């Protein structure tokens, strides 16, 4: 029998349901952002743009620095970092290894900030001359992909060189000492080698393939906080527009934060772009080509489908 008490209880339940948005999204207390020496992150940090954007939501921003992409993605995979920026290769190795990551935004590089270099007096003049040579690169990094693509373009197999997988600091020392014949590397290390060692470029990224860089987030973070991810993308996109128009401010901030020579940083910044875009069909196709290249020569244990881990972001949504 329907009583007044039952009607009152039902009314209260309905009022509570109407007051609570369906599928209300939780907010993290903190967002941990992984960065590298490159990019415009020191300027973004200095400007406190993210802190200003997220403070009204009660969210703190924590910045965590990494030397290069693979350890940053491992940190995202294990949940100690939520969001970060890497080149094209690290996400492929990570996905092939079962890491819980998602592509959330992209930067379509102009292909000027990564290259294969040799000492100024080296007899190596072309990519074909790398045959039989010892070449340094960061394992699992975007420089790894550049080297693979360059060899492919020159008609060489991976087995035609002696690979020297080295982190940037170790590769710098090896290059200066002459214990490697060539080095596949990104800025600001590239700019430093050009200015300090008179290193000679035999191929930029743009000479070999069309590179991209990516903003990556943890799968659990994306699933739990999709609107926060969209806000992060939008905030960084706004900073990218600012950075493209303020190269000197970006360079000074990076030099102050990293101690890297300001002239090297200016060179790096001048040939960079910071335009952040959704991971569209063109980007996915380019990234899938990288993944297929790696699978073909056995650099990853199994083929991967890049589109499986793409977060659909629509700017302004």
């Amino acid at each position: 029998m329907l009583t007044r008490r039952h009607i009152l209880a039902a009314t209260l339940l309905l009022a509570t349901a109407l007051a609570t948005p369906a599928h209300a999204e939780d907010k993290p207390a903190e967002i941990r952002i992984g960065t590298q020496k490159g990019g415009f992150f020191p300027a973004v940090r200095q400007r406190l743009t993210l802190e200003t954007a997220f403070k009204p939501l009660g969210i703190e921003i924590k910045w965590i620095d990494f030397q290069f992409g693979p350890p940053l993605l491992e940190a995202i995979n294990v949940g100690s970092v939520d969001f970060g920026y890497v080149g094209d290769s690290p996400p492929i190795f990570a996905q092939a290894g079962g890491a819980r990551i998602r592509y959330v935004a992209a930067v379509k590089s102009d292909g000027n900030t990564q290259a294969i270099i040799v000492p100024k007096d080296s007899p190596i003049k072309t990519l074909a001359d790398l045959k039989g040579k010892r070449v340094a690169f960061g394992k699992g990094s975007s420089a790894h992909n550049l080297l693979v693509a360059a060899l492919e373009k020159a008609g060489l197999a991976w087995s035609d060189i002696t690979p020297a997988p080295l982190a940037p600091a170790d590769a710098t020392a090896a290059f200066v000492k002459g214990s490697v014949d060539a080095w596949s590397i990104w800025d600001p290390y590239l700019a430093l080698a050009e200015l300090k060692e008179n290193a000679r470029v035999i191929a930029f990224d743009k000479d070999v393939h069309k590179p991209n860089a990516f903003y990556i987030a943890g799968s659990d973070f994306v699933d739990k906080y999709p609107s926060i991810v969209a806000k992060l993308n939008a905030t960084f996109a706004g900073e990218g527009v600012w950075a493209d128009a303020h190269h000197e401010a970006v360079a000074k901030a990076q030099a102050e934060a990293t101690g890297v020579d300001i002239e090297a940083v200016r060179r790096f910044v001048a040939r960079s772009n910071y335009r952040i875009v959704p991971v569209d069909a063109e980007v996915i196709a380019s990234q899938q080509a990288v993944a297929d290249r790696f699978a073909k020569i056995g650099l990853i244990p199994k083929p991967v489908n890049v589109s499986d881990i793409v977060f659909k972001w629509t700017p302004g949504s």
Side-chain angles (χ1 to χ4, degrees), residues 111-116 146 187 190 194 201-209 271:
N112 298 312
T113 60
Q114 186 166 253
I116 297 174
L146 168 57
D187 276 320
L190 168 59
E194 288 177 302
V201 171
I202 60 169
F204 281 103
D205 251 332
K206 65 183 179 183
D207 300 321
V208 174
H209 73 130
R271 58 193 181 193

Side-chain angles (χ1 to χ4, degrees), residues 210-231:
K210 187 171 178 56
N212 300 295
F214 295 95
Y215 286 83
I216 303 290
S219 297
D220 293 341
F221 188 84
V222 173
D223 291 342
K224 195 171 184 180
Y225 309 117
S227 69
I228 295 294
V229 172
K231 187 174 179 66

Side-chain angles (χ1 to χ4, degrees), residues 16-313:
T16 300
L18 291 174
T20 305
H23 308 295
E25 185 180 316
D26 292 333
K27 294 182 297 184
E30 177 182 74
I31 301 172
R32 299 158 299 176
I33 299 176
T35 63
Q36 302 179 55
K37 277 190 176 182
F40 65 158
F41 298 101
V44 175
R45 293 168 74 165
Q46 194 177 82
R47 283 161 51 80
L48 299 176
T49 310
L50 265 76
E51 288 80 355
T52 301
F54 285 92
K55 187 174 182 180
L57 301 178
I59 300 172
E60 298 293 324
I61 300 294
K62 181 179 181 181
W63 300 89
I64 304 171
D65 296 322
F66 292 84
Q67 191 177 15
F68 66 134
L72 193 164
L73 288 193
E74 178 55 28
I76 290 179
N77 179 47
V78 301
S80 57
V81 168
D82 303 306
F83 190 95
Y85 177 77
V86 298
D88 50 15
S89 298
I92 292 169
F93 283 93
Q95 183 182 6
R100 292 186 52 74
I101 61 167
R102 301 278 290 279
Y103 295 93
V104 298
V107 175
K108 296 180 180 180
S109 172
D110 293 333
N112 298 312
T113 60
Q114 186 166 253
I116 297 174
I117 58 175
V118 296
K120 61 179 180 178
D121 298 324
S122 171
I124 299 172
K125 305 296 183 184
T126 68
L127 292 173
D129 295 335
L130 292 175
K131 185 172 184 178
K133 301 299 190 292
R134 182 175 173 81
V135 186
F137 62 96
K139 185 176 181 180
S141 71
S142 56
H144 197 161
N145 178 42
L146 168 57
L147 180 55
V148 172
L151 294 175
E152 186 178 84
K153 183 170 184 177
L156 299 178
W158 187 251
S159 58
D160 285 327
I161 66 164
T162 300
L166 296 168
D170 296 327
T172 298
F175 188 80
V176 171
K177 291 176 183 176
S179 55
V180 295
D181 300 298
W183 184 17
S184 182
I185 188 58
W186 57 88
D187 276 320
Y189 304 99
L190 168 59
L192 282 169
E194 288 177 302
L195 289 173
K196 302 296 184 183
E197 306 300 327
N198 292 313
R200 179 163 45 83
V201 171
I202 60 169
F204 281 103
D205 251 332
K206 65 183 179 183
D207 300 321
V208 174
H209 73 130
K210 187 171 178 56
N212 300 295
F214 295 95
Y215 286 83
I216 303 290
S219 297
D220 293 341
F221 188 84
V222 173
D223 291 342
K224 195 171 184 180
Y225 309 117
S227 69
I228 295 294
V229 172
K231 187 174 179 66
L232 282 165
N233 285 349
T235 305
F236 275 115
E239 287 297 271
V241 172
W242 172 85
D244 271 338
H246 294 85
H247 279 185
E248 183 62 15
V250 172
K252 286 181 177 178
Q254 185 171 341
E256 290 170 8
T258 63
V260 174
D261 180 88
I262 184 66
E263 291 307 318
V265 177
R266 283 183 176 131
R267 175 178 289 215
F268 162 36
V269 171
R271 58 193 181 193
S272 298
N273 83 67
Y274 304 101
R275 295 183 295 274
I276 298 161
V277 298
V279 184
D280 59 20
E282 178 189 15
V283 172
I284 291 172
S286 176
Q287 188 70 346
Q288 188 62 54
V290 178
D292 293 345
R293 182 183 297 127
F294 285 180
K296 180 180 178 181
I297 64 174
L299 288 180
I300 55 176
K302 61 180 181 180
V304 298
N305 187 6
V306 169
S307 62
D308 288 345
I309 61 168
V310 172
F311 170 70
K312 301 298 184 183
W313 168 50

